[in-house]
């Protein structure tokens, strides 16, 4: 396996159907702490991992960080998983979406939560540029971007926990980004049957 080693919340019931949890960009596998037991009790083999540069995972050699899709494929191979259900939140959903377009036969179901899909198409890039999101995104905190208004208002402790997990997940590796490694367009999505 490439340096994606933090399988901190895996539940080892090997015969249960695997559910791979892909975390948001601001987090690592610990973001799933409140959900993992419920998923395991529902009968899943729960696999949470931290992408490169998140939590205790390494970044890897300079210039050879691989892609999030390749790392996910290698993780499945190392755990002897042929097919899995995937749940991706935010940027984790982008990894899962890229994976299902490249390896549709390896995904039983795909669940996306809070994932903003950006198709690799000129029309989409032009519209995104007109919205000026990139110019103002830095002004909002991760808690604001990744937690809805009702969640922030009604669960202050959860917002604080989210912020602490975010600081721990990114730590000194802040700013590291890894390419997804897939070409996702509206056409490739229409062909997916997960």
């Amino acid at each position: 396996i490439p340096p994606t080693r933090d399988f901190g919340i895996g539940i080892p019931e090997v015969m249960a159907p695997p559910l791979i949890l892909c975390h948001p960009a601001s987090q690592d596998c610990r973001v799933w702490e409140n959900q993992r037991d419920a998923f395991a009790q529902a009968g899943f083999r729960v696999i949470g991992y931290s992408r490169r540069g998140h939590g205790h995972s390494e970044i890897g050699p300079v210039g050879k960080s691989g892609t999030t899709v390749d790392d996910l494929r290698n993780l499945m191979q190392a755990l002897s998983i042929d097919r899995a259900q995937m749940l991706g939140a935010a940027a984790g959903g982008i990894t899962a979406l890229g994976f299902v377009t490249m390896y549709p036969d390896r995904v039983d179901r795909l669940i996306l939560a809070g994932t903003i899909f950006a198709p690799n198409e000129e029309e989409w890039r032009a519209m995104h540029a007109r919205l000026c999101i990139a110019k103002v995104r830095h002004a909002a905190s991760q808690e604001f971007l990744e937690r809805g208004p009702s969640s922030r208002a009604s669960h202050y402790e959860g917002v604080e926990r989210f912020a602490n997990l975010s600081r721990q997940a990114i730590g000194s590796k802040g700013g590291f980004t890894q390419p997804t490694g897939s070409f996702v367009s509206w056409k490739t999505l229409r062909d997916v049957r997960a």
Side-chain angles (χ1 to χ4, degrees):
I1 297 179
T4 5
R5 291 205 247 296
D6 190 2
F7 310 118
I9 65 169
I11 310 260
E13 287 85 9
V14 187
M15 299 308 290
L19 172 62
I20 299 176
L21 306 174
C22 303
H23 62 80
S26 66
Q27 300 293 315
D28 62 20
C29 69
R30 290 173 288 185
V31 75
W32 302 107
E33 290 174 347
N34 293 328
Q35 293 83 17
R36 69 174 180 217
D37 294 339
F39 289 139
Q41 289 173 359
F44 293 101
R45 175 185 176 196
V46 180
I47 301 152
Y49 75 104
S50 296
R51 290 189 309 277
R52 293 181 194 236
H54 295 80
H56 299 292
S57 290
E58 300 168 6
I59 293 173
V62 175
K64 297 184 180 179
S65 63
T67 68
T68 62
V69 168
D70 286 344
D71 284 352
L72 182 51
R73 185 197 66 227
N74 293 336
L75 171 69
M76 290 176 69
Q77 182 177 340
L79 297 176
S80 299
I81 297 171
D82 293 323
R83 292 179 61 83
Q85 297 176 70
M86 293 187 182
L87 170 55
I94 294 169
T95 295
L97 191 58
F99 186 88
V100 76
T101 60
M102 289 186 71
Y103 305 102
D105 295 339
R106 300 199 68 187
V107 180
D108 285 324
R109 287 181 185 86
L110 175 64
I111 304 115
L112 302 177
T115 298
I116 300 173
F117 161 64
N120 191 359
E121 297 174 350
E122 186 54 41
E123 182 181 355
W124 174 264
R125 286 189 290 276
M127 187 213 40
H128 191 267
R130 284 193 306 273
L131 294 174
C132 300
I133 293 170
K135 292 179 183 176
V136 297
R137 190 175 194 289
H138 69 279
S141 69
Q142 285 302 126
E143 299 87 74
F144 180 82
L145 292 170
E146 295 189 7
R147 304 233 2 172
S150 62
S151 173
R152 290 191 308 271
S154 62
H155 302 291
Y156 179 75
E157 299 83 17
V159 173
E160 281 299 308
R161 174 84 174 126
F162 184 88
N164 287 334
L165 285 173
S166 183
R167 283 188 288 277
Q168 293 170 20
I170 304 304
S172 63
K173 304 170 205 164
F176 173 74
T177 57
Q178 184 182 22
T180 305
S182 66
F183 177 84
V184 180
S185 67
W186 292 114
K187 182 188 178 325
T188 58
L189 284 181
R190 281 190 295 271
D191 297 339
V192 170
R193 297 290 174 241

